[in-house]
């Protein structure tokens, strides 16, 4: 059975060129970049090249790049660094739709004496920037707002928010894990102080992340140890992964046009055809301002895990905002924050594409989805009640 | 990904007895859209009063569908007395086991079966007795007590896995722990009885609770609520904003607004939308 992978916001395949670039650093080039000998020194030089490639992808300077282990570490380091560097300030602002890496840390800090403002989004997943700006105060230590949402794909107006935040001299962090490599990002055009990105979302391996720290930003390391990363993150570097991320960054810069044309075209085709072929389907989130690879589609009156497992039986890999897939009992906090009704929140499926998806794969999904949805609806008491009430309106 | 047994996968991908029975002898309906799963179970009896046909409609995950399918297979051929003895553990065992987090699917099957039998016997169903403990999922103290007793549950996590209580905001965890302690033999501390309220005191307390507790929560979702009138224990309200158009507004009204007012004003409160 073939595998059609459309869950690229969860993780991506390692690009062949990335794997190829990494391999020597497991075997022949295994030196420690901190060593004094040239065997290690050569590795340090390669890390420098990788650092420059990552910096170029987001418009930063190489010395502003701190390699971490993942996006979560980057987020945690950024927020903790901001509050530790401003100990007199006790207020944090974030949004209702952040990734758990930010959401759960902020909630943890709120239980430990910080005042937390969680800014809402509207029904299209757009941030209430007025509410955010109104809540900025002299006591605000950090504002952390994601660049693009992992579930809906909705892109937030980071430049506009950054301007308001920086006017008040408050540290501004953005979790750009989903945005990097999919839309053009330039940290110098935004004024953002810190930015998180993750390797495995851009066709590099898992276990490597980056925290961009603007030069001059007050910083205190989360991982204290050796002098690696200019003392901003102790611990021997994950050399192969760093090299891989460097290569992946070069490829991402090359592929950004393809993401916004061909990949977007495939996403739009998938979405349009599903909406055309299946009744009572809604797209979650603002369709004009979202990532080119993402669509979150709510199938009314059925449940997401059941849809996913039927898709899985046909080799289609996607993800769901349903409660049952997460092990929690409530549907995705992102969809609930958007006010997506229960009728479709439980039955929402996220399709997230990459440059490796083909038209043939999208056609396969388009062909397979209608019978899956019809079969589950045939079992659903809510769908049956619904069609009894409107017998002439739907199939 | 959940680790489902082959039998769960089989009953999910090839569910038996899907559909509706016209003129059934008994119907049981449990769950809601808000809760994330629901089951409607139908049966028909033959001339020997044995279940000759059983069908189901399920909104839910793979294990909910598999549990429903299994249940219909299990009850066909049984008398109602025999069927009534089926426990949620029996359903899970029939399927070769369910992940602990999915045990509530088997409980849903058992509850639907009980309702269907009660329906046949002409007993009143629908209204759950007891006090709502978990507002997020509308689970009562009696349901939690039963799950703890029948399945020898020891922790809040267990209770959540079996009846969902405590799986939402977590505000009810202390109450669930008290019930576990009481059933498991530890004494439940007696709560002081509230003093009887005059009409004016009651109306004032309703207004205060709406303002302080309920409206801010609804506003977070873009909704609102307006108090129209109070007639005895009947509180008449109108939902506004996103709540007014929400398909789950009755769930909000009963599982949140009513239970909050029952908790903070008086247990006899009935909320109605006008």
């Amino acid at each position: 059975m073939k595998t059609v992978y459309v869950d690229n916001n969860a993780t991506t395949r390692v690009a062949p060129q990335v794997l190829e670039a990494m391999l020597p650093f497991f075997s022949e080039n295994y030196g420690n970049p901190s060593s004094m000998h040239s065997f290690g020194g050569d590795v340090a030089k390669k890390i420098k090249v990788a650092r420059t490639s990552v910096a170029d992808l987001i418009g930063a300077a190489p010395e502003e790049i701190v390699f971490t282990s993942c996006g979560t570490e980057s987020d945690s380091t950024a927020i903790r660094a901001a509050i530790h560097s401003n100990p007199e300030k006790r207020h944090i602002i974030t949004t209702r739709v952040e990734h758990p890496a930010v959401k759960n840390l902020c909630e943890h800090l709120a239980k430990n004496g910080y005042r937390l403002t969680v800014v809402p989004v509207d029904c299209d997943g757009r941030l209430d920037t007025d509410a955010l700006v109104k809540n900025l105060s002299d006591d605000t230590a950090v504002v952390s707002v994601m660049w693009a949402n992992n579930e809906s794909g909705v892109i937030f107006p980071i430049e506009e928010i950054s301007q308001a935040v920086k006017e008040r001299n408050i540290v501004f962090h953005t979790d750009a894990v989903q945005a990097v490599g999919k839309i053009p990002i330039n940290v110098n055009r935004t004024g953002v102080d810190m930015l998180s990105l993750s390797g495995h979302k851009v066709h590099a391996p898992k276990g490597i992340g980056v925290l961009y720290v603007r030069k001059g930003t007050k910083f205190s390391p989360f991982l204290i140890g050796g002098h690696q990363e200019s003392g901003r993150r102790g611990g021997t570097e994950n050399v192969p992964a760093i090299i891989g991320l460097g290569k992946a960054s070069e490829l991402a810069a090359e592929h950004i046009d393809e993401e916004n044309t061909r990949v977007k075209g495939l996403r739009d085709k998938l979405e349009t055809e599903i909406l055309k072929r299946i009744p009572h389907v809604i797209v979650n989130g603002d369709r004009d301002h979202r990532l080119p690879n993402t669509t979150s589609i709510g199938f009314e009156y059925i449940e997401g895990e059941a849809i996913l497992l039927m898709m899985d039986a046909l080799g289609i890999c996607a993800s769901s905002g349903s409660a049952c897939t997460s092990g929690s009992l409530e549907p995705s906090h992102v969809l609930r924050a958007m006010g997506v009704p229960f009728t479709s929140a439980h039955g929402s499926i996220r399709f997230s594409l990459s440059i490796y998806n083909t038209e043939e794969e999208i056609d396969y999904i388009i062909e397979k989805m209608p019978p899956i949805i019809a079969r589950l609806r045939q079992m659903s008491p809510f769908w049956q009640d619904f069609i009894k009430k409107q017998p002439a309106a739907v199939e | 990904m959940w680790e489902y047994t082959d039998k769960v996968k089989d009953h999910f991908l090839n569910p038996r007895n899907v559909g509706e029975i016209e003129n059934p002898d008994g119907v049981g309906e449990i769950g809601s859209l808000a809760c994330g799963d629901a089951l409607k179970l139908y049966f028909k009896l033959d001339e020997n009063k044995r279940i000759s046909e059983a069908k189901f409609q399920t909104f839910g995950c793979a294990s909910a569908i598999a549990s429903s399918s299994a249940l219909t297979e299990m009850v066909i051929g049984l008398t109602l007395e025999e069927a009534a003895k089926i426990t949620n553990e029996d359903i899970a065992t029939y399927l070769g086991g369910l992940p602990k987090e999915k045990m509530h699917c088997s409980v849903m099957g058992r509850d639907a079966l009980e309702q269907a039998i009660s329906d046949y016997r002409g007993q009143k169903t629908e209204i759950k007795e007891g006090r709502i403990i978990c507002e997020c999922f509308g689970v009562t103290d009696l349901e939690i007590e039963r799950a703890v007793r029948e399945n020898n549950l020891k922790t809040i996590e267990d209770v959540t896995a079996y009846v969902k209580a405590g799986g939402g905001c977590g505000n009810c965890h202390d109450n669930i722990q008290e019930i576990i302690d009481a059933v498991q033999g530890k004494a439940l501390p007696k709560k002081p009885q509230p003093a009887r309220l005059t009409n004016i005191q009651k109306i004032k307390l309703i207004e205060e609770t709406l303002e302080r507790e309920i409206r801010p929560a609804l506003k977070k979702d873009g909704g609102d609520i307006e108090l129209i009138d109070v007639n005895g224990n009947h509180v008449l309200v109108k939902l506004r904003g996103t709540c007014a158009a929400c398909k789950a507004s009755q769930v909000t009204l009963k599982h949140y607004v009513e239970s909050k007012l029952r908790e903070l004003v008086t247990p006899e409160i009935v909320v109605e939308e006008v």
Side-chain angles (χ1 to χ4, degrees):
Chain A
M1 185 175 65
K2 67 166 139 184
T3 297
V4 176
Y5 185 81
V6 280
D7 197 14
N8 289 278
N9 286 7
T11 196
T12 57
R13 72 174 287 186
V14 173
Q17 302 95 315
V18 169
L19 181 62
E20 192 186 349
M22 289 169 65
L23 285 175
F25 294 87
F26 288 106
S27 49
E28 56 260 43
N29 299 338
Y30 58 85
N32 187 326
S34 296
S35 298
M36 287 306 292
H37 45 69
S38 58
F39 188 66
D42 287 345
V43 174
K45 284 178 194 161
K46 297 289 186 191
I47 287 183
K48 204 173 166 187
V49 174
R51 194 183 301 280
T52 303
S53 300
V54 175
D56 287 349
L57 180 64
I58 59 170
E63 59 272 20
E64 293 174 317
I65 299 298
V66 180
F67 288 114
T68 65
S69 66
C70 58
T72 298
E73 186 193 320
S74 300
D75 288 338
S76 203
T77 303
I79 293 168
R80 287 179 187 277
I83 60 177
H84 290 159
S85 302
N86 299 280
E88 74 288 357
K89 296 184 177 183
R90 308 294 291 175
H91 180 220
I92 298 167
I93 299 181
T94 189
T95 82
R96 286 189 68 187
V97 294
E98 294 298 312
H99 185 275
V102 169
K103 177 179 177 281
N104 291 347
L105 173 64
C106 289
E107 286 171 1
H108 168 78
L109 292 168
K111 282 179 190 158
N112 286 279
Y114 284 87
R115 190 164 62 84
L116 178 64
T117 299
V118 184
V119 182
V121 295
D122 68 11
C123 59
D124 284 325
R126 292 174 299 209
L127 192 66
D128 185 345
T129 44
D130 289 342
L132 190 150
V133 172
K134 273 181 202 158
N135 278 287
L136 295 170
S137 77
D138 292 341
D139 191 38
T140 307
V142 60
V143 175
S144 183
V145 175
M146 67 197 330
W147 200 302
N149 186 266
N150 48 312
E151 292 188 36
S152 66
V154 172
I155 298 168
F156 287 159
I158 293 297
E159 289 183 32
E160 181 191 329
I161 299 165
S162 177
Q163 198 177 352
V165 174
K166 294 316 297 173
E167 272 172 12
R168 290 160 179 83
N169 205 25
I170 296 166
V171 177
F172 184 42
H173 165 252
T174 181
D175 174 350
V177 162
Q178 293 296 343
V180 170
K182 294 171 193 161
I183 54 172
I185 284 187
N186 187 307
V187 286
N188 281 328
R189 278 209 300 271
T190 63
V192 58
D193 295 306
M194 289 189 270
L195 174 148
S196 304
L197 68 92
S198 173
H200 75 108
K201 311 288 187 184
V202 291
H203 304 287
K206 297 164 185 67
I208 181 71
V210 162
L211 178 62
Y212 155 81
V213 184
R214 179 179 294 281
K215 197 174 174 184
T217 304
K218 283 200 278 182
F219 188 84
S220 60
F222 180 51
L223 212 54
I224 297 171
H227 61 272
Q228 294 91 349
E229 299 302 299
S230 305
R232 293 171 297 185
R233 201 262 187 188
T236 302
E237 294 88 343
N238 182 355
V239 177
I242 289 172
I243 300 299
L245 180 55
K247 187 68 192 172
S249 299
E250 289 170 26
L251 294 172
E254 284 172 23
H255 289 146
I256 209 127
D257 284 344
E258 189 184 352
E259 291 274 1
N260 288 278
T261 50
R262 191 183 69 81
V263 175
K264 182 175 183 292
L266 292 180
R267 188 275 311 268
D268 289 345
K269 179 180 179 181
L270 175 67
E271 188 176 279
T272 307
E273 288 299 318
I274 285 177
L275 290 175
K276 200 161 79 184
R277 292 171 191 226
I278 305 174
H280 293 276
V281 168
I282 60 166
V283 175
N284 300 313
D286 181 357
R287 292 167 77 174
D288 294 326
H289 299 97
R290 64 180 164 157
L291 297 171
N293 77 320
T294 307
T295 177
S296 169
I297 301 181
F299 298 93
E300 292 190 313
Y301 303 108
I302 49 177
E303 200 277 331
E305 188 210 86
I307 305 172
L308 273 191
L309 293 182
M310 285 205 170
M311 290 166 68
D312 185 58
L314 297 167
I316 305 168
C317 310
S319 70
S320 168
S322 90
C324 285
T325 49
S326 62
S328 79
L329 293 170
E330 290 186 320
S332 135
H333 72 283
V334 174
L335 299 181
R336 293 302 299 136
M338 289 161 64
V340 175
F342 284 116
T343 44
S344 56
H346 284 292
S348 285
I349 299 291
R350 179 188 70 188
F351 300 90
S352 48
L353 283 59
S354 83
I355 54 160
Y356 293 106
N357 287 118
T358 63
E359 182 127 22
E360 185 199 357
E361 290 177 332
I362 298 307
D363 289 341
Y364 181 74
I365 302 172
I366 291 166
E367 178 201 331
K368 297 298 179 190
M369 288 307 290
I372 290 174
I373 303 305
R375 196 161 168 221
L376 287 168
R377 280 180 174 168
Q378 191 223 338
M379 277 189 243
S380 165
F382 299 121
W383 177 256
Q384 296 302 329
D385 286 349
F386 174 72
I387 56 172
K388 274 180 198 163
K389 283 177 195 158
Q390 305 180 38
V394 294
E395 289 171 16
Chain B
M1 192 168 185
W2 302 108
E3 283 192 25
Y4 287 134
T5 65
D6 288 344
K7 202 155 183 189
V8 171
K9 287 180 200 162
D10 179 35
H11 274 268
F12 165 59
L13 291 172
N14 308 294
R16 285 69 148 168
N17 309 310
V18 174
E20 198 174 339
I21 296 177
E22 282 196 24
N23 303 316
D25 289 319
V27 183
E29 194 169 5
I30 201 95
S32 72
L33 265 172
C35 288
D37 44 28
L39 165 61
K40 202 166 181 179
L41 180 75
Y42 307 80
F43 71 77
K44 221 170 172 57
L45 299 175
D46 63 16
E47 62 278 10
N48 299 318
K49 299 289 180 199
R50 287 187 177 273
I51 296 174
S52 58
E53 196 181 2
K55 286 196 171 184
F56 77 92
Q57 291 169 322
T58 293
F59 164 87
C61 58
S63 52
I65 290 169
S67 295
S68 309
S69 169
L71 177 63
T72 55
E73 292 275 276
M74 291 167 76
V75 297
I76 290 172
L78 301 185
T79 64
L80 292 185
E81 290 70 29
E82 289 165 343
K85 288 179 188 158
I86 291 174
T87 66
N88 68 287
E89 285 290 347
D90 294 334
I91 298 170
T93 304
Y94 182 91
L95 288 166
L98 283 170
K100 188 176 140 193
E101 294 84 350
K102 297 287 189 176
M103 284 302 288
H104 57 84
C105 297
S106 64
V107 174
M108 185 170 73
R110 192 273 317 270
D111 288 353
L113 177 62
E114 280 186 356
Q115 278 212 14
I117 294 171
S118 296
D119 178 51
Y120 169 75
R121 290 173 175 160
Q123 292 162 351
K124 200 178 173 190
T125 56
E126 288 292 314
I127 297 166
K128 289 175 186 169
E129 292 176 351
R131 184 169 59 100
I132 297 243
I133 297 292
C134 171
E135 287 169 3
C136 298
F137 294 102
V139 188
T140 65
D141 52 354
L142 298 182
E143 289 171 289
I144 296 169
E145 275 175 33
R146 183 178 178 186
V148 170
R149 198 172 45 250
E150 290 184 351
N151 298 285
N152 193 25
L153 306 182
K154 298 272 174 40
T155 65
I156 295 168
E157 197 184 50
D158 289 343
V159 169
T160 304
Y162 277 73
V163 288
K164 293 195 167 190
C169 68
N171 287 343
C172 58
H173 282 189
D174 288 347
N175 291 334
I176 294 174
Q177 189 61 55
E178 280 182 12
I179 295 170
I180 295 169
D181 291 345
V183 176
Q184 298 291 358
K186 297 177 192 169
L188 190 65
K190 270 199 166 178
K191 288 194 173 169
Q193 292 295 312
R196 190 172 169 76
L197 297 166
T198 66
N199 282 341
I200 290 174
Q201 284 172 329
K202 190 190 295 173
I203 292 168
K204 209 172 164 192
L205 199 50
I206 290 168
E207 283 176 333
E208 280 174 10
T209 306
L210 283 172
E211 201 55 43
R212 192 184 63 243
E213 298 278 336
I214 296 170
R215 296 186 77 205
L218 297 184
K219 280 185 171 177
K220 278 185 193 170
D221 286 327
D224 203 351
I225 193 166
E226 188 186 335
L227 179 64
I228 303 295
D229 203 356
V230 177
N231 182 7
N233 285 321
H234 284 253
V235 178
L236 308 178
V237 297
K238 195 155 186 63
L239 289 170
R240 305 279 188 201
T242 53
C243 291
C246 176
K247 287 174 181 162
S249 62
Q250 284 308 306
V251 178
T252 308
L253 214 59
K254 288 291 165 190
H255 288 183
Y256 181 64
V257 179
E258 187 174 276
S259 59
K260 200 63 159 175
L261 290 172
R262 283 181 175 186
E263 178 194 339
L264 298 174
V265 181
T266 171
E268 289 85 33
I269 291 272
V270 175
V271 175
E272 289 168 17
E273 193 178 13
V274 291

